[in-house]
Amino acid sequence: MGIYQELVDRGLIAQVTNEQEIKTMIDNGKATFYIGFDPTADSLHVGHFMALCLMKRLQMAGNKPIALIGGGTGMVGDPSGRTDMRSMMTVETIQHNCDCFKKQMERFIEFGEGKAQMVNNADWLMNLNYIELLRDVGSCFSVNNMLRAECYKQRMEKGLSFLEFNYMIMQSYDFYYLFQHYGCNMQFGGNDQWSNMLFGTELIRRKLGKDAHAMTITLLLNSEGKKMGKTAAGAVWLDPNKTSPYDFYQYWRNVDDADVLKCIRMLTFLPLEQINEMDGWEGAQLNRAKEILAYELTALVHGKEEADKAQDAAKSIFVSGGSSENMPTTKLTDADFINEEIGVLTLLVKCGLAASNGEARKLVQGGGVSVAGDKIADPKQMLNRSVFENECIIKKGKKTFHKATL
């Protein structure tokens, strides 16, 4: 089986232009492709996971990835899938985030001469002359066609700034520049990027002629993958200092039954034959599938040793409900207590088990919270400092355990 068909069978391909030519290029390792990452934080999260795994798969098949960091477009902000304008970041913050991204990406793809490259579009976008851009690139864009793009239509009612309106032109210019200077002949992105990507392909053809080969392809769930990166308690990061390997493991261990095989197929590197044998799994077998998913992805991001520790800790906690040295832990400080007491809602938010007091209140009212073995029924309950002098285990639902200490 060629790599293109494997991507299709794993459910990764949604739309393409010139499918047969794309298939031939990818299967023969002739694609130099880019995927863009906006540096909006100092860590990638699980919403980026599919793109990283795709880059790894294609590089293993002989193709050359370009990780495009949006240091320039990050100064503007992508309106795709958003209902408000993204806050502005400083140049220093963007550069710091870019540096952090590369360290994390190196776990997935191999950088170096003739291998993967990382580029920052600030290197060419920040030097553009506005008048020259309008004449050279702006003349290739139809405002009417741009306004038909879904990413803009969603924002028209609430307001779309002229700053954001330029994002499509800048992203299209990225592909044009990469095509000319890096031999990039293909771009990948999520469904929410389809319009921007098509404009990039069209810009190359308008500027360089119809014979210029520029291909466009989208991933089936990359847009959904961005949502995957968010949980009730915030983002699930690839940085172990932001999301511990144990919490990362637990995130995947707790995916919905309906999603587990889809995630295994899309995100792990297990053979399709092995995955297809799981299609009929039900009940307890799905729990086993979730353990496989959690272990494989934790090993991919954090290494086998951390995956082993997370798996052992999860099994220990699940079986006994007891403590574990690998259990995620929050250290409380004097500032967390008022008159030697802390409210249960404050505790849940402090430990990252709820994103807000409102969410914590719903958890308690739903009967899903226990502290030190006692079920909490009153959202107003206060806990004395002495509760935390020894190991205090907080249980949320049936599967999430957290330790709070002084």
Side-chain angles (χ1 to χ4, degrees), residues 5-17:
Q5 187 59 47
E6 181 178 347
L7 297 180
V8 172
D9 290 348
R10 287 183 180 274
L12 289 166
I13 304 301
Q15 303 177 79
V16 299
T17 61

Side-chain angles (χ1 to χ4, degrees), residues 13-61:
I13 304 301
Q15 303 177 79
V16 299
T17 61
N18 307 324
E19 182 175 40
Q20 187 54 50
E21 193 169 357
I22 288 174
K23 179 179 184 299
T24 300
M25 289 177 66
I26 289 177
D27 286 348
N28 289 288
K30 300 299 184 183
T32 298
F33 67 95
Y34 94 87
I35 298 179
F37 299 83
D38 275 340
T40 54
D42 60 0
S43 172
L44 298 165
H45 56 67
V46 299
H48 298 110
F49 214 89
M50 189 177 299
L52 294 171
C53 291
L54 177 75
M55 296 172 84
K56 182 179 178 71
R57 292 184 205 279
L58 290 172
Q59 186 176 47
M60 290 168 63

Side-chain angles (χ1 to χ4, degrees), residues 259-323:
D259 293 333
V260 59
L261 291 179
K262 178 171 61 178
C263 288
I264 289 177
R265 187 168 278 110
M266 288 181 164
L267 301 177
T268 76
F269 287 79
L270 295 175
L272 279 170
E273 296 80 7
Q274 180 182 345
I275 298 171
N276 291 337
E277 291 175 359
M278 302 179 191
D279 280 340
W281 284 14
E282 297 178 348
Q285 289 178 310
L286 283 179
N287 287 330
R288 174 59 184 146
K290 292 178 184 181
E291 290 174 355
I292 292 172
L293 172 68
Y295 182 85
E296 291 293 326
L297 298 190
T298 305
L300 187 61
V301 173
H302 298 295
K304 184 179 182 301
E305 182 179 351
E306 290 295 339
D308 288 337
K309 288 165 61 177
Q311 185 178 65
D312 291 344
K315 288 180 178 179
S316 171
I317 294 168
F318 183 76
V319 171
S320 67
S323 63

Side-chain angles (χ1 to χ4, degrees), residues 24-25 35 73 77 96 126 130 167 183 282 302 307 373 391 395:
T24 300
M25 289 177 66
I35 298 179
T73 43
H96 171 71
M126 299 292 280
Y130 188 60
Y167 188 92
E282 297 178 348
H302 298 295
E391 281 191 343
K395 184 179 179 183

Side-chain angles (χ1 to χ4, degrees), residues 2 67 85 88 119 130 138 147 180 208 263 332 339 361 372 393:
M85 184 171 168
M88 296 290 182
V119 297
Y130 188 60
L147 291 176
Q180 287 186 295
L208 303 178
C263 288
L332 302 178
N339 296 326
R361 184 177 293 106
I393 307 301

